[in-house]
Amino acid sequence: MFTLAIHGGAGTIRREAMTAESEAAYHAGLAVCLKAGHAVLTAGGSAVAAVSAAVVALEEDELFNAGRGAVFTSGGKQEMDAAIMDGRNREAGAVAGIFGPRNPILAARAVMASEHVMLAGEGALAFCREAGLEFADAAHFFTEKRWQALQTELARRAAAAADTRSDADRHGTVGAVARDAAGNVAAATSTGGMTGKRPGRIGDCPVIGAGTWADNNTCAMSATGHGEYFIRWAAGHEIDARMRYKGETLTRAAEAVVTELGAIGGSGGIIAVDAAGNVALPFNSSGMYRGRIGEDGVAWTGIYKEALRAL
Amino acid sequence: MFTLAIHGGAGTIRREAMTAESEAAYHAGLAVCLKAGHAVLTAGGSAVAAVSAAVVALEEDELFNAGRGAVFTSGGKQEMDAAIMDGRNREAGAVAGIFGPRNPILAARAVMASEHVMLAGEGALAFCREAGLEFADAAHFFTEKRWQALQTELARRAAAAADTRSDADRHGTVGAVARDAAGNVAAATSTGGMTGKRPGRIGDCPVIGAGTWADNNTCAMSATGHGEYFIRWAAGHEIDARMRYKGETLTRAAEAVVTELGAIGGSGGIIAVDAAGNVALPFNSSGMYRGRIGEDGVAWTGIYKEALRAL
């Protein structure tokens, strides 16, 4: 029995601003990424390999804010963060503020295989070159949609206007959690950060214990949302602690943390899986691009506060 | 009733390799930094202000690996990390991979006052310039002792020789925790990282929930040691969780985490204080430069596994 869940960002996703075509594209995109992870698990692959494959697929889809399609900083650059964690032994790897490696999650995985846990900036890029990771050029990562989103954001700031756009587009993140056939769990998260973010800003994604966490004894989780709050609440490790020390179920612990974050202004959501294969996908915003898939290979996906639909 | 504790790094501190003069210098240096924090608390300052002042003093003392006296990377540069957290509201600020601001802890404090929690590299430096922080030149930060330590480390690697030096010198960190007269706690940590570290490597110091944590409901803590393990074990938030959910005392929780880290190879130590003013200073290595001070202004300091001495 294995299972995998993914997210592609959470926030104020306005149904009225979304066309039927756009909705269908998100559902289809999520299904493709679910199936990328499913293929690994079906072949007997590990949870780590599965979440890695699912996040690579999310990074390749420009609909989502990670890898290709990453948002731009206020300086007009793209700076990506990613992290991965193995529930078997708490091995972890993270990169922050990188531009170049085609799939930041593979950079995080290479860091996990090293003596380090977290590498940033130029030093991280040198490590990626030594590790032989594939690099892509600016044209690969650039998307007109994200560039226009930056122009809109900068114009909004100049006018000090209220923000009526989807903040899921502005600070989306992608992630995957899995429980493999051997009962091991893993988590992976990747992001371009927030549109118009200050260069150098690091969110919760690469902070182990905040946006990414995995331990077979409790759960694997990946977060998306207003990262600063997820860091200050150690969201990932808080779910772990509630399960470990309070005996809470995965669902109860994940929902409690998402509710607590919502109460202090930390909008967003979490995907989580435990070693028994239970899945929780709570969010406190109006929507979260999300999906799950089990052994039967049926991809269940959703956007708003509604039941997932089989695709 | 207020109290403050500090550390200046933990590791294999070999008594036989230390002269009486050197030992005395460490005790005296720690006492100066304790008194810098004590002066703030005596004047009615907050725990945040006190840990900030104590860490500034540690950063100014070239004996310790932070600010002036920071160690060098394998590339011959200095890259500093720092973090601060306020137990009243879990506000937090961190910087990673910076060189220039004279006191990295003040950079972290400026980040805490912003909408961000963590800034790295060039973007962090731009933020520090905008915030009007004092910068220092390379001559200020350079110390012959640390430069020679890098040469020794590089030679050791070239010879693949066993390391017989003090690893407290190699990966020291400084930090402070305080409980002020109002009953609020705060923590601050600052480091140059590990001698000969890979450029871009980020340890536990600026990772909120790992090397730095503060919450009035539980404790304020600052860690020093092999940072990768402290990140993977979310050391700071783990102490919080044990106190919050298991009802453990500060001492029991801090000792349990340090013991658990030691069992997996994570050498180092932790300083922690709770809202009642209890202090714990556990370490699993042979030594930790450390000290504490209360309202009476007597500075208690220690290096090895021995009772603190009044200075």
Side-chain angles (χ1 to χ4, degrees):
Chain A
M1 193 280 299
F2 60 74
T3 191
L4 179 135
I6 62 173
H7 68 77
T12 310
I13 306 175
R14 294 159 58 234
R15 195 191 287 264
E16 62 274 22
M18 190 92 88
T19 64
E21 291 70 27
S22 176
E23 276 192 16
Y26 276 106
H27 282 285
L30 289 165
V32 166
C33 300
L34 285 167
K35 288 179 179 185
H38 180 266
V40 171
L41 292 168
T42 298
S46 68
V48 167
V51 295
S52 180
V55 170
V56 163
L58 287 156
E59 288 174 340
E60 292 291 318
D61 187 336
E62 67 177 71
L63 278 179
F64 303 107
N65 173 21
R68 172 165 159 73
V71 301
F72 291 88
T73 69
S74 61
K77 309 274 190 185
Q78 289 163 302
E79 295 181 354
M80 303 173 204
D81 306 331
I84 191 165
M85 191 162 183
D86 186 339
R88 287 177 293 196
N89 47 20
R90 291 192 178 179
E91 291 280 353
V95 288
I98 65 168
F99 176 79
R102 179 176 179 125
N103 294 108
I105 196 64
L106 298 183
R109 198 173 172 187
V111 173
M112 181 166 72
S114 79
E115 64 184 307
H116 303 290
V117 168
M118 191 172 190
L119 294 175
E122 282 302 322
L125 292 177
F127 171 87
C128 292
R129 282 184 211 103
E130 290 169 34
L133 292 175
E134 182 185 354
F135 276 58
D137 59 16
H140 169 76
F141 293 109
F142 181 92
T143 56
E144 185 62 26
K145 172 184 151 190
R146 299 300 189 187
W147 184 254
Q148 288 308 324
L150 174 62
Q151 308 317 315
T152 304
E153 172 67 14
L154 296 178
R156 184 187 70 76
R157 289 181 191 176
D163 191 0
T164 57
R165 293 165 308 108
S166 161
D167 59 6
D169 287 347
R170 206 169 75 245
H171 55 77
T173 292
V174 309
V177 294
R179 186 267 194 199
D180 62 27
N184 298 311
V185 301
T189 315
S190 180
T191 189
M194 301 170 75
T195 294
K197 72 179 175 185
R198 172 182 280 278
R201 179 259 186 186
I202 298 178
D204 62 319
C205 160
V207 176
I208 300 300
T212 306
W213 182 260
D215 186 324
N216 278 359
N217 295 304
T218 54
C219 68
M221 68 78 72
S222 169
T224 173
H226 198 142
E228 278 73 8
Y229 292 93
F230 285 70
I231 295 175
R232 291 169 51 209
W233 254 248
H237 189 263
E238 174 67 15
I239 296 176
D240 178 294
R242 283 172 169 270
M243 294 178 71
R244 186 184 304 264
Y245 298 134
K246 289 191 81 179
E248 291 186 352
T249 63
L250 177 80
T251 298
R252 187 179 170 86
E255 288 182 352
V257 170
V258 166
T259 300
E260 201 173 322
L261 283 165
I264 57 164
S267 74
I270 282 168
I271 60 171
V273 62
D274 66 17
N278 296 302
V279 173
L281 311 170
F283 53 98
N284 61 34
S285 46
S286 61
M288 178 165 78
Y289 301 111
R290 64 200 187 278
R292 57 182 295 177
I293 195 165
E295 282 193 357
D296 63 8
V298 179
W300 293 84
T301 57
I303 300 177
Y304 314 106
K305 286 206 181 288
E306 62 191 359
L308 302 184
R309 63 175 78 161
L311 215 66
Chain B
M1 194 278 300
F2 60 74
T3 190
L4 178 134
I6 63 172
H7 68 77
T12 311
I13 306 175
R14 294 160 57 234
R15 195 191 287 263
E16 62 274 22
M18 190 93 86
T19 63
E21 291 70 26
S22 177
E23 275 191 18
Y26 276 106
H27 283 285
L30 289 166
V32 166
C33 300
L34 284 168
K35 289 180 179 182
H38 180 266
V40 171
L41 292 168
T42 298
S46 68
V48 166
V51 295
S52 180
V55 170
V56 163
L58 286 156
E59 288 174 340
E60 292 290 320
D61 187 337
E62 68 178 72
L63 277 179
F64 304 107
N65 173 20
R68 172 165 159 75
V71 300
F72 291 88
T73 70
S74 61
K77 309 275 191 183
Q78 289 163 302
E79 295 181 355
M80 303 172 203
D81 306 331
I84 190 165
M85 191 161 181
D86 185 341
R88 286 176 294 194
N89 48 21
R90 290 192 178 179
E91 291 281 351
V95 287
I98 64 169
F99 176 79
R102 179 176 178 124
N103 293 108
I105 196 64
L106 298 184
R109 197 173 173 188
V111 173
M112 180 166 72
S114 79
E115 64 184 309
H116 303 290
V117 168
M118 190 173 192
L119 294 175
E122 283 302 321
L125 292 178
F127 171 87
C128 291
R129 281 183 213 103
E130 290 170 33
L133 292 176
E134 183 186 354
F135 276 58
D137 60 16
H140 169 75
F141 293 109
F142 180 92
T143 57
E144 185 61 27
K145 172 183 152 190
R146 299 299 190 187
W147 184 253
Q148 290 307 324
L150 174 63
Q151 309 315 315
T152 305
E153 172 67 14
L154 296 178
R156 184 187 70 77
R157 289 181 192 177
D163 189 0
T164 57
R165 291 166 310 109
S166 160
D167 57 7
D169 286 347
R170 206 168 76 246
H171 55 74
T173 292
V174 310
V177 293
R179 187 266 195 201
D180 62 27
N184 298 310
V185 301
T189 315
S190 180
T191 189
M194 301 170 73
T195 295
K197 71 179 176 185
R198 171 183 280 279
R201 179 259 187 187
I202 298 178
D204 62 317
C205 158
V207 176
I208 300 301
T212 305
W213 182 260
D215 186 325
N216 277 359
N217 294 303
T218 54
C219 68
M221 68 78 72
S222 170
T224 173
H226 198 141
E228 278 73 9
Y229 292 94
F230 284 71
I231 295 176
R232 291 169 52 211
W233 255 249
H237 190 263
E238 175 67 15
I239 296 176
D240 178 293
R242 283 172 170 270
M243 294 179 70
R244 187 184 302 265
Y245 297 134
K246 290 190 81 179
E248 290 186 353
T249 63
L250 177 81
T251 298
R252 187 179 171 87
E255 287 181 351
V257 170
V258 165
T259 300
E260 201 173 321
L261 284 165
I264 57 164
S267 74
I270 283 168
I271 59 170
V273 61
D274 65 17
N278 296 301
V279 172
L281 310 170
F283 54 99
N284 61 35
S285 47
S286 62
M288 177 165 79
Y289 302 111
R290 65 200 186 278
R292 57 182 293 177
I293 194 165
E295 283 193 355
D296 63 8
V298 179
W300 294 84
T301 57
I303 300 177
Y304 315 106
K305 286 202 182 291
E306 62 191 358
L308 301 184
R309 64 174 80 159
L311 215 64

